[in-house]
Amino acid sequence: MPDGTPLHQRVLRDAPALRVAGLIAPAQEAAVAAVEARYAVAITPAMAALIETAEDPIARQFIPDAAELTTAAHESADPIGDDALSPIPGIVHRYADRVLLKPTLICPVYCRFCFRREHVGPDGGLLKDAQLQAAYAWIAARPAIREVILTGGDPLMLSPRRLASILGALSAIPHVETLRIHSRVPVAEPARLSEELAEAMATEKPLFLVVHANHAREFTAAARAALRRVQRRAIPVLGQSVLLAGVNDSEAALEDLFRAMLAARVKPYYLHQLDAAPGTARFHVPIARGQALLAGLRGRVTGLAWPTYVLDIPGGHGKVPIGPEYLEQTGAVRDPQGAHHALAAHQPDRG
Ligand SMILES: *Cc1c(COP(=O)(O)O)cnc(C)c1O
Ligand code: SF4
């Protein structure tokens, strides 16, 4: 270990550190080291502090598992087809009106189910100034683009100065109307989201923060305080989650997660079906199960808590809603309790 920082204050990055912290058994060390040779590992003190058992929903998201070295037949290194949609470094363009810009591939933690796991990591992907300038020019030359989504990696791993500079340059493009940042920092490393970093996000043009969180316990007091620093600057915060086996694949876990978001003034936006990245099969939840879980919340949990359940179609075809259906082929609708009601008498076009 390079410095005298106590273990509980360090980001844990390798098998020996995880073993010393008591997060893996000595017998697992070799297997975890093999995973770490292939995929980035990091667990922040904030997340490590939440881990109670090796199988709990926080541990499962971040502690490497030997199963990651097995790629299932349906899995792919580029599960949603981003590579073909990247005209220049850092840019992914799939939809006419919006574009992704990835200024860094560094994250505060490395999620074991990450759809970009072949790309993210501590030593990669920081766009150089010339590459950023090229990205701005690329966006400036396309007036159809109205929104730039900073993702990665995690844009809130940048310094306040660099983030402010990027947001300033994007804001200066006349046709860019809104900005968005996708980040796990507010929950995974809340202390990093300082007043200074929050101030860097205080742009003149509307900016939306979308925080990635998968379990209610991620919304600690420190995370809520970090989100407040952002919200006080008139930045709306939305939530996105991935439906994950052993983490949030029950009605109770989803209800608790979405209620924890609302309690932190975070509007649930998307619940993602897991993308088939290599070695992530242990997290897979069938779509029919996801639909049943959401249907179980309908009518019982405030509509504010309701995210759109989405699938990113493999091959680069885009995201589509896959939530439970209430309107039936027969022209009837299903109510939250499952009873059917004919619509013909109320909707004249449905006779
Ligand atoms: C997910 C995604 C977006 C954002 O989609 P929204 O539905 O607007 O949240 C934009 N571009 C790409 C390439 C994406 O994968
Ligand atoms: S924070 Fe996002 S990009 Fe980073 S490892 Fe987790 S899922 Fe992947």
Side-chain angles (χ1 to χ4, degrees):
M1 298 288 171
D3 59 33
T5 314
L7 189 64
H8 69 277
Q9 293 175 11
R10 286 186 205 146
V11 179
L12 306 171
R13 298 193 181 278
D14 56 25
L18 291 170
R19 177 182 48 75
V20 173
L23 293 178
I24 57 169
Q28 287 171 281
E29 195 175 325
V32 169
V35 174
E36 162 211 318
R38 167 120 191 242
Y39 299 113
V41 171
I43 307 178
T44 53
M47 291 295 100
L50 293 178
I51 295 175
E52 287 164 1
T53 69
E55 268 307 298
D56 82 15
I58 309 296
R60 220 172 135 73
Q61 294 184 65
F62 305 120
I63 296 183
D65 188 288
E68 292 176 42
L69 295 171
T70 308
T71 300
H74 69 281
E75 293 173 344
S76 150
D78 182 22
I80 60 172
D82 274 358
D83 293 354
L85 300 171
S86 181
I88 58 169
I91 292 271
V92 180
H93 191 215
R94 177 183 289 140
Y95 307 105
D97 77 331
R98 56 208 192 277
V99 67
L100 305 185
L101 174 59
K102 302 191 264 187
T104 175
L105 292 174
I106 297 171
C107 297
V109 282
Y110 292 99
C111 311
R112 307 327 301 164
F113 49 84
C114 178
F115 67 120
R116 294 200 185 114
R117 60 189 334 217
E118 301 288 343
H119 303 291
V120 297
D123 45 30
L126 190 65
L127 287 191
K128 297 187 176 58
D129 283 330
Q131 291 172 314
L132 277 175
Q133 297 302 331
Y136 304 149
W138 192 91
I139 296 166
R142 285 165 180 77
I145 295 175
R146 292 158 173 259
E147 181 183 20
V148 181
I149 302 165
L150 296 185
T151 179
D154 196 318
L156 297 188
M157 294 302 282
L158 298 170
S159 70
R161 233 182 88 198
R162 196 165 180 86
L163 183 65
S165 145
I166 293 171
L167 293 173
L170 295 171
S171 298
I173 301 172
H175 54 263
V176 172
E177 293 169 2
T178 54
L179 301 164
R180 205 198 300 182
I181 293 179
H182 284 182
S183 177
R184 204 144 169 42
V185 164
V187 291
E189 198 175 2
R192 178 180 290 274
L193 217 179
S194 59
E195 289 290 346
E196 215 189 342
L197 190 61
E199 189 56 31
M201 298 164 69
T203 49
E204 204 46 52
K205 288 193 174 168
L207 182 144
F208 294 75
L209 175 65
V210 183
V211 57
H212 168 192
N214 304 312
H215 195 274
R217 275 174 30 213
E218 294 171 41
F219 289 88
T220 58
R224 289 198 303 272
L227 289 165
R228 283 301 271 154
R229 291 192 277 279
V230 174
Q231 290 157 339
R232 271 202 294 270
R233 290 169 163 92
I235 297 168
V237 184
L238 308 173
Q240 61 173 339
S241 311
V242 186
L243 181 60
L244 298 166
V247 175
N248 56 22
D249 61 335
S250 69
E251 275 181 44
L254 288 178
E255 176 173 350
D256 288 350
L257 169 62
F258 301 143
R259 289 194 191 279
M261 284 187 179
L262 291 184
R265 297 175 165 84
V266 173
K267 166 75 185 91
Y269 173 49
Y270 277 161
L271 176 66
H272 295 271
Q273 178 68 8
L274 180 76
D275 296 317
T280 62
R282 70 195 165 109
F283 293 106
H284 176 77
V285 178
I287 290 174
R289 171 83 179 138
Q291 291 177 323
L293 290 172
L294 284 176
L297 300 185
R298 189 86 241 179
R300 194 162 61 72
V301 173
T302 166
L304 281 179
W306 195 256
T308 304
Y309 181 28
V310 291
L311 168 75
D312 215 318
I313 305 172
H317 306 288
K319 290 186 195 67
V320 288
I322 54 169
E325 279 292 341
Y326 295 92
L327 184 60
E328 302 177 328
Q329 295 292 334
T330 58
V333 284
R334 187 162 60 102
D335 70 23
Q337 287 72 41
H340 308 275
H341 305 274
L343 268 187
H346 311 283
Q347 300 281 325
D349 57 317
R350 298 204 161 263

